[in-house]
Amino acid sequence: MPETETNQRDSELFAPPSDVRGMTKLDRTAFKKTVTIPVLKVRKEIVSKLMRSLKRAALQRPGIKRVIEDPEDEESRLIMLDPYKMFTNDSFEKAELDILRQLNVNPQISKYNLELTYENFKSEEILRAVLPEGQDVTSGFSRVGHIAHLNLRDHQLPFKHLIGQVMIDKNPGITSAVNKINNIDNTYRNFQMEVLSGEENMMTKVRENNYTYEFDFSKVYWNPRLSTEHSRITELLKPGDVLFDVFAGVGPFAIPVAKKNCTVFANDLNPESHKWLLHNCKLNKVDQKVKVFNLDGKDFLQGPVREELMQQLGPLSKERKHSVHIVMNLPAKAIEFLSAFKLLLDGQPCGSELLPIVHCYSFSKDANPAKDVQQRAGAVLGISLEACSSVHLVRNVAPNKEMLCITFQIPAAVLYKNQTPNPGFLDLLQRIMKIHLLNAGGQIKPFQKKKHKLLQSLN
């Protein structure tokens, strides 16, 4: 029997009662249902040995015991069988019948009335039975410590409190269910939420990539779906490198990077994020390696970042072997902040291998999201990035909406105000000019006069 057909029949037999459709206030008692299941009666002392040979025939249904006591014989047990495979004695395969004969078990199949209750149904089955037929069912959520964070659609809102309670009932450790009721505030990166069911406490603790973070989820930004991205960026940095985290949140980039013995400058405009960032740095014992700021992203770039880059990329930068990375995780607006890099630094440009590496996040609904992000970032900087950047797809946020990260080195022509050639270049140019003059017998030919004037101006 095809697997899809089996699943469909299984969902019909083990579906909740049809009269729960439209329920908006959870009544667990309304989910009682009796189904008839084929069973095999066996002596209790051979159950373990026999079950290894009856894997195909036994009932495979999470939440339902496959072996139960026989109500008529305490020395026997009843093995629940798959109702879609086992109909009569002939339903057993030859190998199964051989084992039954060896263990002196009568292959006679009996019927047993099994009572199903609310506890026996999965959350998705409950919601599919309750919500209007044909509507999308919410069974997934983002877990933030003890909080289940849902993002309900309009047709699900009349059932929101029931959905919240089902999420709590069916997921151990979840004691509160919340729903986002507006878009993320791009200034402080938080959003209003409604507690659907459970406790009101939004103070939570999460573990991500072996680090611990504590915060008030109602006041800061946290997305557990970015765990892999946090690891990806962290792995790019080596001990001794420098990280500027422009929109640091509560520290999911800054803290793991600091643990690698990197120097970290972490900033967030949200006062609550700043508070919990400081707290989490101490909690993870990296507070001596992270300098924390509470500034607007542009002010952070044009203030502390500029000052540190002037030192990092200054005259002694040739001796520097570490890299400088700048992370800008504010997908809705980060590209706009790239303008802060234009003519940010004074002095002679450093070598191209020392220029800062930017990791800038953005959303895109374009048919070619990578090219779209490259073009938009390049437009802000006034250059083309298509040949000198890479774009990483972080995740699909919604239908036709992607989150991406564009990575590139900031060109010296963008970063520096003063593009005057350095002394080494002037010396080389002078030598070239003298060779041209000697080859011309000391006579300055018309096409060389421009070079001669240039040499005089450089001196």
Side-chain angles (χ1 to χ4, degrees):
M1 183 182 296
E3 184 179 349
T4 52
E5 185 178 344
T6 302
N7 290 341
Q8 184 177 0
R9 288 188 176 183
D10 185 67
S11 65
E12 292 171 1
L13 180 66
F14 294 104
S18 59
D19 57 3
V20 300
R21 178 83 63 198
M23 179 187 292
T24 56
K25 185 177 180 180
L26 183 60
D27 178 7
R28 296 176 182 84
T29 63
F31 287 83
K32 287 183 179 180
K33 176 182 180 179
T34 300
V35 295
T36 302
I37 302 292
V39 294
L40 180 68
K41 182 175 180 176
V42 302
R43 301 186 310 277
K44 65 179 182 182
E45 61 267 19
I46 65 169
V47 168
S48 296
K49 188 174 183 179
L50 186 59
M51 286 301 292
R52 289 194 291 269
S53 303
L54 293 182
K55 288 182 179 179
R56 182 198 69 87
L59 177 65
Q60 305 289 340
R61 168 73 188 180
I64 297 179
K65 293 181 179 180
R66 287 186 290 175
V67 180
I68 61 172
E69 293 183 359
D70 185 344
E72 299 175 358
D73 183 0
E74 63 180 22
E75 296 301 316
S76 299
R77 296 291 182 266
L78 299 179
I79 296 177
M80 299 276 190
L81 301 178
D82 189 327
Y84 297 116
K85 295 177 181 176
M86 309 305 296
F87 308 102
T88 66
N89 304 3
D90 297 332
S91 300
F92 287 107
E93 294 182 346
K94 183 179 182 302
E96 295 167 341
L97 286 170
D98 289 343
I99 291 292
L100 294 178
R101 276 194 293 267
Q102 289 175 23
L103 296 174
N104 196 26
V105 176
N106 184 350
Q108 180 67 42
I109 291 179
S110 305
K111 300 294 182 181
Y112 179 80
N113 289 328
L114 175 67
E115 183 179 76
L116 300 178
T117 66
Y118 175 80
E119 284 68 31
N120 297 123
F121 298 112
K122 306 171 191 174
S123 59
E124 187 173 345
E125 292 169 335
I126 292 171
L127 298 182
R128 186 179 292 116
V130 169
L131 268 62
E133 200 164 3
Q135 296 281 15
D136 290 337
V137 172
T138 297
S139 59
F141 56 87
S142 295
R143 182 164 188 159
V144 184
H146 67 281
I147 304 165
H149 172 214
L150 297 93
N151 191 3
L152 299 181
R153 299 182 179 181
D154 289 344
H155 73 270
Q156 297 160 339
L157 293 178
F159 308 91
K160 60 185 180 181
H161 297 298
L162 179 145
I163 293 173
Q165 187 58 56
V166 170
M167 293 298 106
I168 292 173
D169 290 345
K170 297 297 178 178
N171 295 278
I174 294 294
T175 58
S176 181
V178 303
N179 181 44
K180 183 173 74 172
I181 57 176
N182 71 340
N183 292 325
I184 291 177
D185 182 304
N186 287 328
T187 303
Y188 283 170
R189 286 204 302 176
N190 55 11
F191 50 81
Q192 288 184 309
M193 63 179 70
E194 176 187 16
V195 177
L196 303 177
S197 189
E199 59 182 274
E200 300 273 344
N201 177 28
M202 294 294 104
M203 291 291 301
T204 192
K205 176 190 289 188
V206 300
R207 289 280 292 175
E208 181 185 273
N209 302 326
N210 297 318
Y211 300 99
T212 301
Y213 303 90
E214 295 178 343
F215 49 84
D216 183 337
F217 184 53
S218 67
K219 296 180 179 178
V220 304
Y221 177 79
W222 180 268
N223 190 339
R225 292 190 172 98
L226 295 180
S227 172
T228 301
E229 182 63 11
H230 297 150
S231 291
R232 185 183 75 87
I233 294 296
T234 300
E235 289 171 5
L236 296 177
L237 281 85
K238 299 176 182 177
D241 285 352
V242 177
L243 172 69
F244 297 101
D245 192 350
V246 185
F247 311 105
V250 298
F253 284 116
I255 288 169
V257 169
K259 275 287 188 182
K260 295 184 73 171
N261 288 321
C262 297
T263 301
V264 178
F265 297 77
N267 172 73
D268 204 282
L269 177 62
N270 183 347
E272 284 290 323
S273 295
H274 175 259
K275 179 180 81 173
W276 291 108
L277 175 58
L278 285 168
H279 173 83
N280 290 320
C281 285
K282 291 180 180 178
L283 185 65
N284 291 278
K285 299 179 181 177
V286 294
D287 49 306
Q288 299 302 311
K289 298 176 183 175
V290 182
K291 296 182 180 179
V292 177
F293 300 85
N294 180 207
L295 299 170
D296 175 77
K298 186 176 181 181
D299 294 336
F300 177 61
L301 289 168
Q302 295 180 339
V305 174
R306 179 185 180 278
E307 292 173 12
E308 187 64 22
L309 286 180
M310 290 294 291
Q311 294 186 29
Q312 293 285 339
L313 309 181
L316 299 178
S317 62
K318 291 182 180 179
E319 302 175 7
R320 178 172 66 80
K321 296 182 180 180
H322 58 264
S323 299
V324 175
H325 294 256
I326 303 172
V327 170
M328 306 174 70
N329 183 22
L330 185 66
K333 298 184 72 175
I335 283 180
E336 299 173 20
F337 286 82
L338 293 176
S339 61
F341 292 117
K342 295 172 73 173
L343 308 180
L344 181 66
L345 304 182
D346 300 312
Q348 296 295 335
C350 67
S352 60
E353 72 280 1
L354 301 177
L355 291 167
I357 302 166
V358 172
H359 310 278
C360 182
Y361 292 83
S362 182
F363 295 128
S364 178
K365 295 183 178 180
D366 195 85
N368 188 337
K371 187 174 182 180
D372 171 54
V373 169
Q374 287 174 323
Q375 290 179 341
R376 287 191 287 117
V380 173
L381 293 170
I383 58 170
S384 174
L385 287 173
E386 292 187 39
C388 57
S389 66
S390 63
V391 179
H392 174 75
L393 175 62
V394 178
R395 70 186 190 97
N396 175 256
V397 178
N400 303 316
K401 183 178 181 181
E402 311 290 350
M403 177 179 175
L404 307 103
C405 176
I406 180 170
T407 295
F408 60 92
Q409 276 191 301
I410 310 174
V414 172
L415 192 60
Y416 285 89
K417 297 176 184 176
N418 184 3
Q419 291 293 297
T420 303
N422 61 38
F425 175 78
L426 296 180
D427 181 60
L428 177 62
L429 188 58
Q430 286 176 332
R431 291 180 185 182
I432 293 172
M433 290 298 298
K434 287 177 181 178
I435 291 171
H436 276 295
L437 288 172
L438 289 173
N439 289 341
Q443 299 296 318
I444 301 177
K445 296 181 180 181
F447 77 93
Q448 293 171 326
K449 287 183 179 180
K450 292 182 180 178
K451 296 180 181 178
H452 186 64
K453 290 181 180 178
L454 173 62
L455 180 61
Q456 288 178 326
S457 66
L458 293 174
N459 289 330

